[in-house]
Amino acid sequence: MADVLKIGIAEWKQTTAPNRLRTAGLGSCVGVILYDTRLQLAAMAHVMLPDSTIARKNQTIEVGKYADTAIDALVHSLKREGATRLQAKMAGGAQMFQFKYENEAMRIGERNAEAIRQALKVHRIPLVAEDCGGHNGRTIEFDVATSVLSIRTVSVGTKEL
């Protein structure tokens, strides 16, 4: 019997087939999945912010909260389990609010997605599919056995990557 592991905001989890990984409430946040199809092993993070350097000093960093620390944690954990052929998929990064003046600080979704792309490049992990941007929230679920990412977008519908 397969379990569905739910990942909350700023969290990350890892599992094997036949389990699934799910996160909801992806607005400007990005859900990123790293997986090894040979081992049927995967990890998902619900990334809120692009860079951990904005965290206050003396603050305990939630590694799943930031793109840089989340990718590092997922890579380290999956490799510890023997993963050698990692791939990635991601979804989210919407611009949830319309502003008259596009301020760089307000483009969190776009910045989150770009930070994840950069972190994946550093680790030489191919991003094989993504569904980022737009103005609607998403819920995603990754099937570890099939490597299919189901994306349910508010007011749009469901698709698979």
Side-chain angles (χ1 to χ4, degrees), residues 14-17 34-37 39-43 78 81-83 144:
Q14 177 176 305
T15 194
T16 57
L34 300 186
Y35 61 100
D36 184 316
T37 56
L39 296 179
Q40 292 193 325
L41 174 69
L78 291 165
E81 296 296 320
V144 180

Side-chain angles (χ1 to χ4, degrees), residues 18-88:
N19 298 329
R20 295 169 174 253
L21 296 161
R22 178 188 300 156
T23 194
L26 293 171
S28 61
C29 295
V30 174
V32 59
I33 304 95
L34 300 186
Y35 61 100
D36 184 316
T37 56
R38 182 179 53 87
L39 296 179
Q40 292 193 325
L41 174 69
M44 177 188 286
H46 185 128
V47 174
M48 283 180 64
L49 295 168
D51 187 356
S52 63
T53 61
I54 64 172
R56 290 188 190 101
K57 301 296 181 227
N58 303 324
Q59 175 184 355
T60 302
I61 291 181
E62 298 172 75
V63 296
K65 184 174 187 175
Y66 305 97
D68 58 340
T69 55
I71 297 299
D72 288 349
L74 270 59
V75 168
H76 179 73
S77 183
L78 291 165
K79 285 188 174 182
R80 191 173 51 232
E81 296 296 320
T84 57
R85 296 183 183 144
L86 291 175
Q87 300 177 74

Side-chain angles (χ1 to χ4, degrees), residues 140-152:
I140 63 172
E141 185 169 299
F142 185 77
D143 184 328
V144 180
T146 64
S147 302
V148 171
L149 178 62
S150 298
I151 305 159
R152 190 171 70 244

Side-chain angles (χ1 to χ4, degrees), residues 92-143:
Q95 179 66 38
M96 297 302 292
F97 306 102
Q98 299 299 313
F99 295 98
K100 186 173 180 181
Y101 303 102
E102 287 289 324
N103 178 332
E104 177 71 21
M106 302 310 291
R107 294 177 31 254
I108 299 293
E110 185 178 322
R111 290 173 49 219
N112 282 339
E114 185 55 33
I116 290 169
R117 287 185 201 101
Q118 291 305 313
L120 292 171
K121 282 182 186 176
V122 167
H123 289 283
R124 294 186 173 103
I125 298 171
L127 178 62
V128 297
E130 70 173 277
D131 180 42
C132 293
H135 300 286
N136 298 316
R138 296 170 174 88
T139 293
I140 63 172
E141 185 169 299
F142 185 77
D143 184 328

